[in-house]
Amino acid sequence: MTESEFVEIPPDIERIVEGFRDIGYTFPVAVADLVDNSIEAGASVVSINVAFGRDGKPTVSIADDGCGMDREGLLNAMKYGAASVDDPRRLGRFGLGLKTASTGFCRCLTLVSTPGDGVPEMFATWDLDLVAAENKWIYEIGDMRADQSDALEDERDVLEGLSGARPDKGTLVIWDKVDRLLVKRHGGEYVNPSLALRNKTMELRDHLGLVFQRYLDSDDDRAKDVVIAVNGDRVEPNDPFCERWEKVEPELKKVMELLTEDGEDRGQVLVRGFILPKPNDIDDPAYGRQADISAGKQGIYWYRENRLIEGPGWLPGFRGDTHLNHLRIDVSYQANHDDLFIVDIKKKDLKLDAGLAEAMEELLPPIRAEANNRSRGRGQPPVTPPGGGRTPTTVGIDKKEPGLEGPEVTVDGPSVVVGNNRGTTVVRDSDGNTNIQIRIDDEGQGKRVEFANTLPHAVLWEPSLGGGDGNTQVAISMTHDWYKKTYLPNASNTNFVEAIEYLFFALAMAELNNTDLLQHQIFGDFRVEVSRNLTRLVSDLPEHEPGD
């Protein structure tokens, strides 16, 4: 007969606590975890401070105007595996984030908090050195101290400046003994700690702007409005889908209705796909900066309760490609779907339920193919028809003109004067008399490419000048056979159209930069000869039929 017994084996607390420090948080991800707690506590404003303390060592603090905590609340918050919040839309998951995110970078974590209504502020402190010395799960809790009071009042000043109201409740998180913030990934300290801290602060600001974009954007009604500031400066929302521009709209929109095994409604997962326009397709320099078209921005962005959890990136089996740089997918789900969207303690490394992954795999190929086609200039009509408005070519030329070699044009009333490599030439004098036959488009202000019904001597192109702004332009004949047989049949190939228009513009600019009364005739003869040769060369090509 065998006997057995149950034996309690207490863990080595020091080793467990030190092990939690190595979960793998990055600094921005760790701070975002703490901001989750502030938002979950109902905060409308969160202030983050990253600086060097009086001792020359880095310090980090996060203050908010949320609901705050009394003694019992502090006891629970400092517990590893804190009791869950009874909120189906909570941002937290495991009750570990506050401790693991903080101690990943510091050895001493302090909370100072009050629920308001006259309840005195209290503090609670985890000091890992004390835990190690005693090998016990112990932390200090008590009435707020004088130095903590000073720090709290300073933060309330900042919160008041950001929100307009001085809070009487909320929480202050303080990191002391910060030993891992200014340590390189593979060990070793930074040569210039000040520069390193500044760079990490900038990375933090960028990360928060992306992760909490829907909370930071007051025009976005999907999430409550929250102000987040880093070192007193507001974090600006960073929308990867650029939806504030009218030309940006989702081209894929799929609502997945989720049900339990018993058929009960579990809510929805919303999938939207965006193929962002090229920067030159939108006449606003801010769009190009915001869109930041690059390989690192393509892919799926996963949002849990409107907070970015993971991304951008692709599912296994779907490779990135430079021709997908304009493609971004938004997948938004709810907290009660956590069993289908599995993340780790850091709210990273997403793993999908097999059925959900299969559904996503069916949705992605068509829009990836369309994005690929558009990147190659196929499958999309011209953004602006020839001759109408500011085309992508015009926008691109305006952006790049400072680096181009071209003439200096002065417009003073009717007078148009060109300064170039040959000297100064008066194209049109103050009385309106023309001295050299250069096309002047008096109504073409702001344009760079003009489409004309016909041009002198049946040429395909000729340089021109904007009579209002003096801009270098190029006029292209719409009756020349090359235009009708080569340009028009490829008008839906936006890359081709833009490249051809750049070519003609460059030829026009070079001519204007090297012409004078003598050279003008030589350039004119050159354009006539090229245009005639092109007419002969394309004679056997088919005519373009409208609708082809």
Side-chain angles (χ1 to χ4, degrees):
M1 179 178 179
T2 60
E3 295 183 358
S4 65
E5 60 180 322
F6 292 96
V7 179
E8 181 179 0
I9 305 178
D12 187 308
I13 297 173
E14 178 185 1
R15 294 191 65 183
I16 289 179
V17 171
E18 291 295 334
F20 275 132
R21 302 194 75 197
D22 296 325
I23 286 177
Y25 278 98
T26 64
F27 179 56
V29 170
V31 174
D33 229 353
L34 302 191
V35 174
D36 284 341
N37 294 340
S38 295
I39 293 175
E40 196 172 278
S44 63
V45 60
V46 182
S47 172
I48 302 160
N49 190 56
V50 183
F52 287 102
R54 294 179 180 178
D55 58 359
K57 297 181 179 179
T59 62
V60 178
S61 64
I62 300 95
D64 66 51
D65 65 346
C67 63
M69 294 171 282
D70 56 13
R71 178 184 175 87
E72 292 303 315
L74 283 172
L75 288 170
N76 180 60
M78 284 301 218
K79 179 181 179 182
Y80 278 79
S84 62
V85 177
D86 187 18
D87 181 356
R89 306 188 71 86
R90 66 195 182 281
L91 292 182
R93 285 207 61 191
F94 302 104
L96 293 170
L98 169 67
K99 284 76 64 177
T100 55
S102 298
T103 59
F105 294 90
C106 73
R107 297 194 63 81
C108 185
L109 165 65
T110 296
L111 301 185
V112 181
S113 191
T114 176
D117 294 330
V119 177
E121 292 86 352
M122 298 193 70
F123 82 93
T125 297
W126 267 114
D127 188 327
L128 300 191
D129 293 329
L130 177 62
V131 171
E134 299 291 333
N135 201 32
K136 294 179 180 179
W137 294 101
I138 58 174
Y139 58 90
E140 186 178 9
I141 188 167
D143 295 332
M144 179 175 63
R145 294 170 176 166
D147 60 329
Q148 297 166 347
S149 176
D150 292 341
L152 182 60
E153 289 305 309
D154 288 343
E155 289 298 335
R156 282 175 172 170
D157 289 342
V158 176
L159 295 174
E160 182 179 11
L162 293 168
S163 67
R166 192 174 188 83
D168 66 346
K169 57 184 175 59
T171 300
L172 171 62
V173 180
I174 303 171
W175 291 2
D176 287 317
K177 299 182 183 179
V178 179
D179 60 341
R180 291 190 174 183
L181 179 55
L182 294 182
V183 177
K184 296 179 181 179
R185 182 176 301 178
H186 301 295
E189 298 182 353
Y190 289 94
V191 175
N192 188 333
S194 296
L195 178 60
L197 190 63
R198 184 161 61 249
N199 289 339
K200 287 182 178 292
T201 304
M202 291 173 60
E203 291 173 7
L204 171 64
R205 183 185 301 278
D206 292 343
H207 183 75
L208 296 176
L210 180 63
V211 169
F212 296 103
Q213 173 260 323
R214 298 178 182 180
Y215 292 85
L216 294 168
D217 188 346
S218 59
D219 294 327
D220 194 322
D221 59 5
R222 290 171 292 186
K224 61 169 289 187
D225 290 344
V226 178
V227 173
I228 302 175
V230 177
N231 291 344
D233 296 325
R234 291 188 180 219
V235 174
E236 296 299 324
N238 178 7
D239 176 13
F241 310 107
C242 303
E243 290 191 79
R244 70 183 177 93
W245 282 274
E246 292 183 0
K247 290 185 178 180
V248 180
E249 295 182 351
E251 302 190 34
L252 164 67
K253 191 169 183 178
K254 173 70 173 178
V255 177
M256 297 183 180
E257 303 285 353
L258 301 184
L259 302 174
T260 66
E261 293 181 356
D262 299 328
E264 296 181 3
D265 182 20
R266 291 197 58 185
Q268 301 174 337
V269 174
L270 176 61
V271 182
R272 301 186 303 157
F274 296 80
I275 303 175
L276 297 187
K278 298 175 183 178
N280 290 351
D281 289 346
I282 295 181
D283 190 8
D284 182 356
Y287 168 73
R289 294 191 296 270
Q290 176 65 39
D292 190 16
I293 304 298
S294 60
K297 300 300 174 65
Q298 66 171 264
I300 305 174
Y301 293 72
W302 306 87
Y303 291 84
R304 177 182 182 270
E305 295 297 343
N306 293 303
R307 188 260 204 215
L308 183 65
I309 290 292
E310 181 79 9
W314 292 110
L315 293 176
F318 291 86
R319 296 176 58 185
D321 187 283
T322 55
H323 292 293
L324 299 177
N325 285 351
H326 293 257
L327 177 58
R328 297 174 188 180
I329 310 294
D330 163 23
V331 179
S332 297
Y333 67 97
Q334 303 165 13
N336 65 326
H337 301 150
D338 283 341
D339 59 320
L340 304 177
F341 299 83
I342 304 168
V343 296
D344 62 12
I345 292 174
K346 306 185 297 294
K347 302 187 181 77
K348 298 287 288 182
D349 299 327
L350 181 72
K351 294 179 177 60
L352 290 186
D353 167 80
L356 192 61
E358 183 178 350
M360 287 296 301
E361 289 167 0
E362 293 178 358
L363 284 176
L364 291 177
I367 195 168
R368 280 170 58 96
E370 178 63 19
N372 183 36
N373 282 336
R374 294 213 195 150
S375 175
R376 298 175 187 272
R378 303 191 298 259
Q380 186 181 30
V383 176
T384 307
R390 282 173 56 79
T391 65
T393 302
T394 294
V395 175
I397 291 171
D398 286 347
K399 290 178 180 178
K400 299 177 177 69
E401 186 177 38
L404 302 179
E405 297 179 17
E408 293 184 6
V409 182
T410 303
V411 178
D412 185 6
S415 172
V416 179
V417 179
V418 173
N420 60 20
N421 293 333
R422 296 285 177 175
T424 301
T425 300
V426 177
V427 177
R428 189 169 65 187
D429 63 24
S430 58
D431 295 326
N433 300 315
T434 301
N435 299 321
I436 184 172
Q437 292 298 321
I438 294 178
R439 182 184 180 88
I440 299 177
D441 183 9
D442 287 311
E443 297 180 356
Q445 185 168 348
K447 289 194 299 184
R448 295 297 192 157
V449 180
E450 175 192 3
F451 291 87
N453 288 324
T454 185
L455 293 175
H457 309 295
V459 296
L460 172 58
W461 86 98
E462 72 173 7
S464 64
L465 295 170
D469 52 20
N471 274 346
T472 299
Q473 300 178 0
V474 63
I476 300 175
S477 171
M478 293 189 293
T479 56
H480 192 281
D481 283 349
W482 185 92
Y483 175 86
K484 293 186 292 183
K485 294 184 176 184
T486 304
Y487 184 99
L488 283 182
N490 293 283
S492 64
N493 187 328
T494 55
N495 289 346
F496 172 84
V497 167
E498 199 167 335
I500 287 296
E501 291 176 358
Y502 283 148
L503 173 62
F504 283 122
F505 177 83
L507 290 169
M509 176 172 266
E511 180 174 336
L512 289 173
N513 199 34
N514 292 278
T515 195
D516 56 18
L517 291 173
L518 177 61
Q519 297 297 324
H520 178 66
Q521 183 61 47
I522 298 174
F523 279 119
D525 292 343
F526 169 78
R527 283 185 278 106
V528 169
E529 187 172 324
V530 171
S531 299
R532 288 175 179 172
N533 285 338
L534 282 173
T535 298
R536 298 185 184 103
L537 289 168
V538 301
S539 61
D540 294 333
L541 295 181
E543 292 281 351
H544 173 68
E545 297 293 337
D548 284 356

